[in-house]
Every structure is written in structure tokens, then in C-alpha cells.
Amino acid sequence: MRGSDERSEGLFSYVSCEVRVPADHPLRPIRAIVDEALEVMSPAFEGLYSKIGRPSIPPEKLLRALLLQAFYSVRSERQLMEQLDYNLLFRWFVGLSMDAPVWDATVFTKNRERLLAGDVAAKFLATVLGQPKVKALLSDEHFSVDGTLIEAWASVKSFRPKDGSGEPPGPGRNGDRDFHGEKRSNETHASTSDPEARLYRKGNGQPAKLAFMGHALMENRHALVVNVRLTAATGLAEREAAVSMVEAIPGRHRITVGADKAYDTKDFVANMRSLGAAAHVAQNTSNRRSAIDGRTTRHPGYAVSLRIRKRIEEVFGWIKGAGLRKTRHRGTARVGWMFTLTATAYNLIRLPKLLAAA
């Protein structure tokens, strides 16, 4: 018998978002890990807000919404608010009831600035990793490090001389700009859209782009991110950030740090050894002598580190797919905050399966 195509509107609804979300939905175990971490961070949130005044967006709900933005690659806060308005799964994860009003996109971004000032993203990453069941998954001996370019939210046309000289772009919304014969460098030029972005070329034959550089430290047992940094895009940034992240590893026991050929320099290897770390760096022998000798390569663990090191590219691939191939934010502080939160989202995506198999 054919059913009737008639819309029946009920005056009242007694079904909650909790009932609508399947019991085996992948977000359920993630929500449990997130809630546990946010409960631990509650005292830290108290210090960011005044005791008087109008209530703001709860920081717990704000962080859950930003995690959804990374999980589902929602391209803007305005589109995220639109999804929250009618997507019951999003409402359930954030903690909104069926009838709760959705925030204005501008109000949402203003409230996010408060979490930026409190360095909440880094604390959230540390809190998730500090949970006993998660901490048991992490290796404290073997790590890998690498860096990647994050394209800035700025056009190359905005890269103008700092002294104000130079011809402006042509008329129109996207006017022409002729760079032929003009010598440009980060010392004499800066972007008018994002002055903290730097012009950087990844390699010979590659175009120069305004970018930042993101860095990640990965533990080798389950390839989870344990530390991140975001710096200006320079030729030394990868090695300097790696030294900083390795130095922050707790304990003073012997560790190994895997890395690609870009880290094969005498200074980096010496810095690692001074920190009690064996630099398991891929040898760069192209028209030069490698800083890695037989003292390192003769150990079986060296080959293992080089093989597992490649998994850090999965981290960067996921982070860029989640919306950071070209950032939507400006300035090192904002881009770095989102880079850290997105790295935490990568860990959260992987943790349920790892915990189930443990």
C-alpha cells in the first residue's frame, strides 16, 4: 500500500537529540573523551571570565563547536552556525537542546578570542594527552618531527614595499599587478593583509607564497601528536622548532627523534645530542657530507625510525584537509591557535579505535 505524501506537524515533540544520535555513532566515544578533558579544564576557564555581567557562550560548547568545524571541514563560522541551527548531530555534540537558539557568527568569533588569550588550545591538547587511558598509549622514548607550510590568508598582490613605494594593483576587486623585474624580499616587503606572513618558496621550481610554518612532534608508537608549534616561514624554522619541542619533552632519559633530510645538519644533530636525543635523521648526501655517521646508522632502530617517521605526513594531510591548507585567520597567534586545536582534533579522531584495541 502506498503511503500518503502528507506533512504532519506535531504541536509538541518529546524526542531529544540524544535519542536521535545512534548509539554506535563514531562521535559518541569522541564526545566522552572531550567531556572528560573539559571537566578537568573547568577551573582554568573560571579565570578567563568575569564574575559579573552578561553570560557568554560557554567555553565548553565553543570548543566542541570548533572541533566539529575541524571534523567536518566546515569552511567558516557562519556556515558552522547554519549547521548548528538544523543539524541534530551537531546540536547533540555541542550540547544544545532542540529548541536552543544558535549564536550569531560574529558573537561566536568574538567569544573565541577569549580562549585565544588564555592559550586554551595548547592546554586542551595537553589535557587530552594527560588522561590516564590516553597516556598509556604514548611512547616516551621514540618521536618524529617535521614541518609543513600553511598558506596565509593573503594575496601575493598584497606583498608591498614597507616604505610605501611601488605601484598599487589595478582598479577593480582583483586588479592586475605586474611583478616583472621587481626584486622582492621579506626584509623590504610585507603583506598589507597579514604583515606576519612571510614570502616563502618550498623548493626549486615551486612558486613563492605568503605562508606560515606549522611544526608537529609525533610519538612513534601510535603516531599521535604530542606537541605543535607555528612559526614564521624561514629556512631555519623547522630545526629551531624541533629543538624547542624536543627540549619540552618531560624527563631526561635517552630518546630518538626521526626526521627527514632537511634536518641533516651538524648544528641540529649536535643540539639533539646535547638534549640526550639520538637524531635518526635521513641522510642527505646530495653534493655534501651527511652529519649522520655510522654511530647512528648501524643501529636497527635507525631504520625503524625512518620508516615510522613518514606517518607524520598523515598528520599534516589530515590537518590541511580539515581546513588549514589555506588558513582563514590572520596573524601568528590566531593561526597557531587553530593549528593546535586542529592537531588535537586529529588525535581525537584516532583515539577511539586505539583505546578499543588497547
Side-chain angles (χ1 to χ4, degrees), residues 12 29 38 43-44 65 79 92 118 120 147 198 207 218 220 224 228 233 237 270 273 298 300 320 324:
F12 300 103
L38 293 177
Q79 192 178 66
W92 167 81
V120 169
R198 294 178 64 88
M218 178 191 79
N220 286 359
L224 293 171
V228 292
R273 288 173 178 166
R298 65 187 175 88
K320 291 187 176 184
L324 277 181

Side-chain angles (χ1 to χ4, degrees), residues 1-15:
M1 176 180 175
R2 178 181 176 183
S4 175
D5 184 23
E6 293 181 2
R7 178 180 298 179
S8 58
E9 298 287 353
L11 183 60
F12 300 103
S13 175
Y14 299 98
V15 180

Side-chain angles (χ1 to χ4, degrees), residues 125-140:
L125 173 62
T127 305
V128 170
L129 296 175
Q131 295 180 15
K133 57 187 177 183
V134 177
K135 196 171 184 180
L137 298 173
L138 306 179
S139 170
D140 61 352

Side-chain angles (χ1 to χ4, degrees), residues 187-227:
E187 286 70 29
T188 58
H189 290 60
S191 170
T192 56
S193 301
D194 188 350
E196 295 183 39
R198 294 178 64 88
L199 195 66
Y200 190 85
R201 186 173 64 179
K202 194 171 183 179
N204 294 331
Q206 298 291 325
K209 296 181 179 180
L210 288 167
F212 297 94
M213 189 166 284
H215 314 270
L217 180 71
M218 178 191 79
E219 56 85 30
N220 286 359
R221 183 181 296 166
H222 290 105
L224 293 171
V225 180
V226 295
N227 202 343

Side-chain angles (χ1 to χ4, degrees), residues 52-87:
I52 59 175
R54 186 173 59 182
S56 65
I57 300 175
E60 295 87 353
K61 289 183 171 61
L62 200 150
L63 273 174
R64 292 193 200 102
L66 290 172
L67 287 174
L68 283 174
Q69 188 175 19
F71 293 156
Y72 291 92
S73 303
V74 182
R75 64 171 178 253
S76 69
E77 283 77 10
R78 195 168 300 278
Q79 192 178 66
L80 178 63
M81 295 303 104
E82 180 184 343
Q83 287 282 338
L84 276 175
D85 195 25
Y86 58 75
N87 192 320

Side-chain angles (χ1 to χ4, degrees), residues 95-131:
L96 295 176
S97 66
M98 297 277 282
D99 301 325
V102 176
W103 314 291
D104 181 79
T106 304
V107 174
F108 184 85
T109 55
K110 284 292 184 181
N111 277 262
R112 188 189 59 208
E113 294 299 306
R114 191 187 303 272
L115 301 186
L116 174 66
D119 198 20
V120 169
K123 294 177 182 176
F124 185 47
L125 173 62
T127 305
V128 170
L129 296 175
Q131 295 180 15

